[in-house]
Amino acid sequence: MVPYEGKCGDCLTTKELMTLYETATVVSNSLDLVASLEKALHILKNRLQLEKCVIHTLQDDTLLTVYACIDFSKHQKELATYTLGEGVTGFAAQSKEPVIVENLHSDMLFLNKSGNRDKNALSYIAVPMLVDQEVIGVLGASMSKTTAIGFESTVRVLTILSSIFAQSIRSHDINLKEKERLKELKLYYKMEWDSKVHNFGDIIGESPKMKQVYNVVERIAGSNVSVLVRGETGTGKELVAAAIHKRSKRKDEPFVKLNCAAITDSLIESELFGHEKGAFTDAKEARKGRFELADGGTLFLDEIGDISASAQVKLLRVLQEREFERVGGSKTIKVNVRLVAATNRNLEEMVKNGTFREDLYYRLNVIPIDLPPLRERGDDIALLVNFFLQKSMSNHKKKVLITDEAMEILCQYTWPGNVRELENTVERIVLMGSEDGISADEMLLLLPAFNQKLMCQRRIYSEES
């Protein structure tokens, strides 16, 4: 074995130039990269009489497997697998330098794991395929008595082609990953749309307390710090998270959501971090988690106080190290995700009780945003009623009028379910109301909780009298 040391030689011959031109043309004009690379290897064989041409690519930074080849059977392809430093192929990848085996019949470095040695072959050359000094794989070929060019010329041609092949493979892999990411995001957003449980509309409200929320969102949206949105159920925590994302530098990247309370403890880690095939009974194929889907963008975790102790530990690691492993996997995956969490629970009390990790709490609570309940937002109630009224009338193709007296009742109601309850109530009003106008008495019938409370107050007053 002889490590190749480049020398300043003669110019490329016409034969070499034509070989380079034809191989580069074949690789650049095909949508099927493996097929085009094999055509390029055939050109090497036919023009320069190089035998057993093969391209290995580096997988998981440790294993070199056959990516494209000629004159190899399916079984031989499977056998021709090398680790870094193993054999001439592994040594070329490890050293990042071309390696020449002058006599492959006597040099122990030529392992011939595929069992595909040609008796006419005399020497073997392995050239690393590099992109910015990163090893993509190795291009190898055997020389025989009929090879049209010598050692130095062969190394020179293979080195030029290795760069072309490496760039093509790198670009192809990047495109595949991007297509897969877009496919998964499309599926994710389709599921979100089909579920019809999320409202992507803008936040409605002009009360002083909501203006305070807007001011905080504007100040912190451009940063990458974690945000903890707190408030009662139905106050619009998800809309605040979306508003932060839309105003951030990540606005063109994914906004991915997960309601932690809706996922069982046994599945929460799979939803967050993904899983490998066979990780558990129903894991029939590998699946990305929400962190991978949100890479480069924002991840919104609602009801963060409901995650298990095990998931809390892994979540803390992601926030600290920006890396994790899928369930059932060992490969470390790095991500760049901004986390916005939300809860209606008292996390401070949970920390005292030992049900929520104190270190995770401080990681999440870098910027706290407290959303006011609807009953404290004054005139915002009327604004929200009118907003949802127009939306519901458009959806149901029906016109309904709410009288001033009926609106007054809506504004007096305490709305324990907050904005979500108001939206559902307005839809009920549209379905049950008429174009002539809903009276105060009719509105009381459409607010069972309000009507029950009023009746209870009247009964107490009657008993006291």
Side-chain angles (χ1 to χ4, degrees):
M1 179 274 297
V2 180
Y4 173 76
E5 296 181 1
K7 298 179 181 179
C8 181
D10 298 330
C11 296
L12 287 166
T13 65
T14 302
K15 182 182 287 289
E16 292 169 9
L17 285 172
M18 288 303 299
T19 301
L20 293 173
Y21 172 75
E22 289 180 15
T23 51
T25 302
V26 165
V27 172
S28 62
N29 291 340
S30 176
L31 296 177
D32 186 339
L33 182 60
V34 173
S36 65
L37 287 173
E38 290 182 346
K39 288 181 182 178
L41 297 180
H42 273 291
I43 293 171
L44 282 177
K45 178 180 180 179
N46 296 332
R47 277 204 168 271
L48 303 180
Q49 285 75 55
L50 293 172
E51 305 293 334
K52 309 298 181 184
C53 300
V54 58
I55 295 172
H56 286 83
T57 52
L58 186 62
Q59 307 294 327
D60 298 327
D61 298 327
T62 57
L63 206 62
L64 289 153
T65 60
V66 175
Y67 187 83
C69 62
I70 56 173
D71 302 328
F72 278 66
S73 68
K74 181 179 179 181
H75 181 59
Q76 288 169 339
K77 289 181 185 179
E78 294 173 353
L79 291 175
T81 299
Y82 301 89
T83 58
L84 280 180
E86 182 185 17
V88 60
T89 301
F91 187 70
Q94 188 179 60
S95 66
K96 299 183 180 180
E97 295 288 343
V99 177
I100 298 174
V101 174
E102 293 185 352
N103 188 341
L104 55 82
H105 298 285
S106 61
D107 197 318
M108 297 299 292
L109 189 64
F110 186 75
L111 301 181
N112 191 33
K113 291 178 72 174
S114 68
N116 192 25
R117 180 181 297 173
D118 190 328
K119 64 181 181 180
N120 295 320
L122 299 176
S123 306
Y124 190 82
I125 297 176
V127 178
M129 300 191 302
L130 307 174
V131 175
D132 297 329
Q133 286 302 304
E134 178 185 348
V135 178
I136 304 299
V138 175
L139 170 61
S142 295
M143 298 179 65
S144 68
K145 293 180 180 179
T146 59
T147 298
I149 55 179
F151 279 125
E152 290 191 8
S153 297
T154 302
V155 171
R156 180 170 52 193
V157 170
L158 293 183
T159 300
I160 295 171
L161 287 177
S162 71
S163 178
I164 296 173
F165 294 167
Q167 291 287 355
S168 299
I169 293 171
R170 164 62 69 82
S171 299
H172 182 260
D173 288 347
I174 290 173
N175 288 336
L176 279 182
K177 288 178 181 178
E178 183 63 16
K179 286 180 180 178
E180 185 65 23
R181 188 179 78 93
L182 292 174
K183 179 181 177 182
E184 290 172 342
L185 283 174
K186 182 179 179 181
L187 177 61
Y188 167 77
Y189 283 124
K190 182 180 184 300
M191 291 168 61
E192 291 290 317
W193 178 264
D194 290 345
S195 66
K196 297 181 180 179
V197 297
H198 297 296
N199 183 350
F200 289 92
D202 293 327
I203 304 171
I204 306 298
E206 297 179 0
S207 63
K209 290 191 175 183
M210 287 307 297
K211 288 182 178 179
Q212 291 177 6
V213 172
Y214 301 153
N215 288 336
V216 175
V217 169
E218 290 292 345
R219 289 179 182 179
I220 58 93
S223 69
N224 288 316
V225 297
S226 299
V227 180
L228 181 61
V229 186
R230 314 183 69 158
E232 296 179 5
T233 299
T235 50
K237 296 187 286 292
E238 183 180 317
L239 293 180
V240 171
I244 292 172
H245 175 73
K246 290 176 183 176
R247 289 160 177 77
S248 73
K249 298 174 183 178
R250 302 169 180 261
K251 61 183 179 181
D252 295 325
E253 299 299 327
F255 176 63
V256 177
K257 299 159 287 182
L258 179 65
N259 188 324
C260 300
I263 308 296
T264 61
D265 288 345
S266 60
L267 293 178
I268 186 68
E269 292 184 30
S270 173
E271 286 292 329
L272 287 172
F273 310 113
H275 61 253
E276 297 293 349
K277 182 179 180 181
F280 46 86
T281 303
D282 294 327
K284 297 180 181 179
E285 59 182 5
R287 181 171 177 268
K288 290 183 179 180
R290 303 300 169 98
F291 269 98
E292 283 184 83
L293 289 174
D295 191 21
T298 304
L299 176 61
F300 173 61
L301 297 182
D302 200 3
E303 307 298 350
I304 192 69
D306 290 76
I307 64 172
S308 64
S310 173
Q312 288 181 36
V313 174
K314 293 189 175 182
L315 181 57
L316 178 62
R317 182 196 169 195
V318 177
L319 294 177
Q320 290 176 331
E321 309 295 336
R322 303 292 180 182
E323 62 183 31
F324 62 92
E325 290 84 34
R326 291 179 183 171
V327 176
S330 58
K331 181 181 178 181
T332 299
I333 299 170
K334 294 185 179 294
V335 290
N336 176 15
V337 174
R338 188 204 190 147
L339 186 66
V340 179
T343 185
N344 61 355
R345 303 182 67 176
N346 188 331
L347 293 186
E348 291 82 4
E349 192 65 31
M350 293 179 67
V351 169
K352 290 180 182 178
N353 296 336
T355 55
F356 198 87
R357 292 182 63 96
E358 184 177 14
D359 44 6
L360 177 58
Y361 166 74
Y362 288 120
R363 279 283 178 179
L364 296 172
N365 197 37
V366 178
I367 300 293
I369 297 179
D370 295 311
L371 291 185
L374 188 54
R375 60 184 174 275
E376 296 179 5
R377 292 174 55 181
D379 293 340
D380 283 354
I381 294 176
L383 289 175
L384 286 162
V385 168
N386 289 325
F387 174 78
F388 289 125
L389 183 64
Q390 295 300 321
K391 176 183 174 183
S392 188
M393 287 192 302
S394 175
N395 289 340
H396 295 289
K397 304 295 189 282
K398 183 180 179 182
K399 187 175 182 181
V400 172
L401 177 65
I402 298 177
T403 62
D404 292 341
E405 295 80 5
M407 180 65 81
E408 184 65 26
I409 290 175
L410 290 174
C411 292
Q412 290 176 1
Y413 183 50
T414 55
W415 300 106
N418 293 292
V419 180
R420 186 178 295 120
E421 181 188 5
L422 184 145
E423 182 177 9
N424 293 334
T425 299
V426 171
E427 186 165 21
R428 184 163 63 247
I429 289 170
V430 171
L431 291 172
M432 303 295 291
S434 66
E435 296 183 11
D436 297 332
I438 299 175
S439 65
D441 291 337
E442 290 173 329
M443 184 60 71
L444 287 173
L445 294 174
L446 293 171
L447 292 170
F450 188 85
N451 194 31
Q452 185 178 3
K453 180 180 178 181
L454 184 62
M455 291 176 63
C456 182
Q457 290 175 341
R458 287 176 177 173
R459 184 172 64 253
I460 293 173
Y461 177 77
S462 177
E463 289 174 355
E464 289 177 349
S465 301

